[in-house]
Amino acid sequence: MTGKISFAEQVNLNFDKAVRFTDHDPRLLDQIRVCNFVCRFAFPVQKDDGSIEVVEAWRAEHSNHKLPTKGGIRFALDVNEDEVVALASLMSYKCAVVNVPFGGAKGGVRIDRRQYSKRELERITRRFTYELSRKNFIGPGIDVPAPDFGTGMKEMSWMADTYQSLHNNDLNALAAVTGKPVELGGIRGRDEATGLGVFYGVREACNNAEDMKPLGLDTGIEGKTVVVQGFGNVGFHAARFFSEAGAKVIAIAEYDGAITNPQGLDIAEVDEHRKQTKSIVDAPDSKNLPSKEAAIEMDCDILVPAALENVITDDNVDRIKARIVAEAANGPITASANQHLFDRSVLVIPDVYLNAGGVTVSYFEWLKDLSHVRFGRLEKRFEEFAYRRLLKGVENVTERRFSEDMLRVLSEGAEERDLVRSGLDETMATAYQEIRNKKCQIGGKADLRTACFIVAIDKIVLCYGDMGIFP
Ligand code: NAD
């Protein structure tokens, strides 16, 4: 809970705001808004010293209008039912915005992962998966978990392995979890997907001259100054892609401190330093900032909160100087702080669209696991031969010869990672145009977040209509 309004209430406030721009049946809207299922677990885990600890966990399935439901598993000490429900409902709207055919879900385990050994984390993850399976809250056609705050590939491989051993006659068992290592049915490009999606989404906005003009910014990413809060999976990859595209990442904040370099931090160096020292503080070619809060209040073009919810609140919103706030994390701006930013004409690119890269590539991974074939395996060589034939035709017409090196580069067929990036780029670009058009259609009263919710609600309503449940 934050102040008087809980996270789930904040999501519902956004829903209610959007509903005012629609004329759907209120009974149907009630059905869409409400969380369909929540399961609370409490299970024992043996620690390395032999003692037993009871761990609390939740899984919420917000909407079953499409199956399976889909959403990450979070390991954090402040996980609670309200947060899990809020994140599950955001997932339903997010999937609809980017046309991914899943309902929304979310899971959370209330632990501080830093307090546990690797073996203890494995026992917790496997036991949670076992409990999810017992309650029918996991399965390739039921509910498919993925990584989120505090979890990554390792946890997903334990989950997939546990599920597979419990369902060893299910040919599609590996499709019950996404975000797995490639060797265990994962897909190339899933680890970077959310950060890359954040980059693609911001790039779409920045390429729009009409949207940049009121912010006093030129189009394009190159030369823009960026501050990133949270240097985990999402924040690291987002920082990397911004930097590769010519933006200057001038500050990064982590839970234990923040660093800056007005000329732009070297993301690979900061990552290497963090791997060696377990902290970004004192990274080469950087200065430490007095506090982690100082970073997000810096003057910059793009602020990327990529840690947790409730980072920009009534307490600090007046000190936020960024022209664009790109919500890589879920729920980093409270509803009332969001209104302040809107009144000040700050462009907020909302979580419900911007961090959908993860679930989009999870969808590709799920499809790969169901089809049991790597993307590109069938067509790569075919494409290469076709391009070569085309290039030979060009040689014949122009009577000029390509070198073998040039032929090889020009005729290269797509690898799995290329196809994943292309699919993600297409998804983020198409969805951005859709939500931007909706915002323009409504006019000055709506921001991009409201436009996202309207687009999502319209699509879910259509889905219920097709089922014949509501006329
Ligand atoms: P992560 O655990 O990999 O990284 C989070 C990072 O934030 C960690 O390095 C942590 O130390 C840091 N952090 C924690 N508290 C902080 C604070 N007060 N100030 C600065 N840094 C702090 O998690 P992630 O997967 O990168 O997820 C980050 C956010 O993105 C979450 O809101 C999550 O729900 C959202 N998200 C993640 C994915 C995904 O695919 N991983 C997909 C969609 C949305």
Side-chain angles (χ1 to χ4, degrees):
M1 305 272 281
T2 49
K4 292 185 206 90
I5 303 180
S6 77
F7 190 7
E9 284 165 347
Q10 297 205 35
V11 176
N12 284 338
L13 274 179
N14 291 323
F15 182 94
D16 294 342
K17 192 170 166 192
V19 157
R20 284 183 224 130
F21 298 98
T22 75
D23 55 4
H24 300 302
D25 183 336
R27 293 166 305 162
L28 175 51
L29 292 170
D30 285 347
Q31 170 57 39
I32 295 173
R33 193 179 190 268
V34 73
C35 182
N36 294 173
F37 302 101
V38 192
C39 198
R40 176 185 162 275
F41 303 84
F43 50 86
V45 176
Q46 186 166 34
K47 302 203 60 189
D48 290 345
D49 64 6
S51 63
I52 303 281
E53 191 178 302
V54 178
V55 172
E56 245 186 319
W58 288 264
R59 183 73 180 171
E61 292 174 358
H62 169 259
S63 177
N64 292 80
H65 71 285
K66 281 192 193 276
L67 287 173
T69 51
K70 186 96 189 67
I73 301 276
R74 178 174 280 206
F75 283 4
L77 206 49
D78 47 10
V79 160
N80 58 62
E81 186 168 321
D82 179 88
E83 180 186 81
V84 173
V85 168
L87 292 165
S89 50
L90 269 179
M91 280 301 291
S92 292
Y93 309 129
K94 193 178 298 182
C95 289
V97 166
V98 291
N99 293 312
V100 165
F102 297 137
K106 204 76 178 191
V109 181
R110 187 185 276 169
I111 55 165
D112 174 359
R113 61 169 299 135
R114 287 184 287 253
Q115 305 305 319
Y116 297 89
S117 71
K118 193 173 161 202
R119 287 161 57 111
E120 288 167 343
L121 286 172
E122 178 172 354
R123 285 199 286 274
I124 292 170
T125 312
R126 287 188 183 277
R127 179 63 192 249
F128 183 41
T129 313
Y130 171 74
E131 296 294 335
L132 287 171
S133 179
R134 262 184 0 131
K135 296 289 172 209
N136 215 19
F137 265 73
I138 184 171
I142 302 169
D143 188 354
V144 181
D148 192 71
F149 186 93
T151 60
M153 268 187 193
K154 192 80 235 156
E155 288 72 21
M156 296 308 113
S157 65
W158 291 328
M159 290 195 88
D161 181 56
T162 308
Y163 183 83
Q164 200 175 31
S165 60
L166 291 169
H167 302 266
N168 59 6
N169 57 354
D170 182 352
L171 186 64
N172 295 322
L174 283 178
V177 180
T178 61
K180 307 178 294 289
V182 172
E183 298 69 30
L184 210 71
I187 195 166
R188 289 161 187 83
R190 174 59 182 90
D191 51 343
E192 64 184 26
T194 309
L196 182 56
V198 167
F199 169 73
Y200 284 149
V202 175
R203 186 201 58 192
E204 282 305 305
C206 289
N207 281 346
N208 200 304
E210 256 179 71
D211 292 349
M212 291 302 103
K213 206 169 162 210
L215 307 176
L217 296 175
D218 294 331
T219 52
I221 292 287
E222 204 174 338
K224 291 215 164 42
T225 51
V226 180
V227 170
V228 177
Q229 185 220 24
F231 200 55
N233 174 284
V234 180
F236 162 67
H237 287 294
R240 179 165 76 86
F241 287 111
F242 277 115
S243 181
E244 283 174 11
K248 282 194 263 184
V249 179
I250 58 168
I252 298 176
E254 253 295 325
Y255 74 98
D256 59 345
I259 54 172
T260 182
N261 179 344
Q263 301 316 313
L265 293 156
D266 182 324
I267 304 305
E269 261 189 14
V270 177
D271 184 44
E272 191 49 43
H273 174 80
R274 197 253 313 257
K275 278 187 185 127
Q276 281 170 19
T277 65
K278 301 217 178 315
S279 172
I280 62 165
V281 176
D282 296 327
D285 295 326
S286 76
K287 260 188 15 199
N288 296 336
L289 284 165
S291 70
K292 56 182 190 257
E293 289 76 24
I296 63 169
E297 294 170 11
M298 277 175 75
D299 192 0
C300 64
D301 297 324
I302 306 167
L303 170 61
V304 185
L308 278 170
E309 53 267 19
N310 299 325
V311 168
I312 302 176
T313 65
D314 285 347
D315 295 339
N316 64 358
V317 66
D318 291 335
R319 297 193 296 277
I320 299 296
K321 300 180 197 75
R323 262 70 73 190
I324 300 172
V325 182
E327 289 189 321
N330 283 308
I333 309 178
T334 62
S336 91
N338 191 67
Q339 187 60 45
H340 277 83
L341 294 173
F342 182 71
D343 294 342
R344 277 171 39 201
S345 302
V346 173
L347 177 65
V348 174
I349 312 180
D351 50 3
V352 65
Y353 157 71
L354 195 65
N355 65 31
V359 73
T360 302
V361 176
S362 276
Y363 168 46
F364 301 156
E365 179 177 338
W366 181 75
L367 291 174
K368 175 183 178 181
D369 289 339
L370 294 180
S371 65
H372 299 266
V373 63
R374 163 173 59 86
F375 286 108
R377 180 168 171 181
L378 301 187
E379 59 273 49
K380 182 169 187 284
R381 290 298 166 112
F382 180 81
E383 274 174 16
E384 285 176 2
F385 288 131
Y387 293 147
R388 275 195 181 249
R389 276 201 302 273
L390 196 69
L391 291 166
K392 286 288 169 201
V394 173
E395 282 185 342
N396 290 342
V397 173
T398 59
E399 293 181 359
R400 293 183 61 185
R401 294 277 165 267
F402 294 108
S403 69
E404 187 46 40
D405 275 355
M406 218 176 201
L407 272 179
R408 196 163 25 79
V409 171
L410 292 175
S411 65
E412 213 162 52
E415 299 277 2
E416 184 168 78
R417 186 181 293 273
D418 304 322
L419 293 167
V420 165
R421 284 186 172 185
S422 154
L424 178 58
D425 196 351
E426 164 66 14
T427 303
M428 296 306 289
T430 311
Y432 186 78
Q433 292 317 322
E434 197 176 359
I435 57 173
R436 189 179 177 279
N437 289 344
K438 182 58 78 181
K439 175 176 171 282
C440 295
Q441 198 184 322
I442 285 163
K445 283 172 283 177
D447 56 6
L448 278 176
R449 192 188 315 278
T450 306
C452 279
F453 273 78
I454 299 170
V455 164
I457 292 165
D458 286 348
K459 288 181 190 173
I460 299 174
V461 163
L462 276 180
C463 189
Y464 274 107
D466 286 346
M467 287 180 206
I469 297 172
F470 284 90

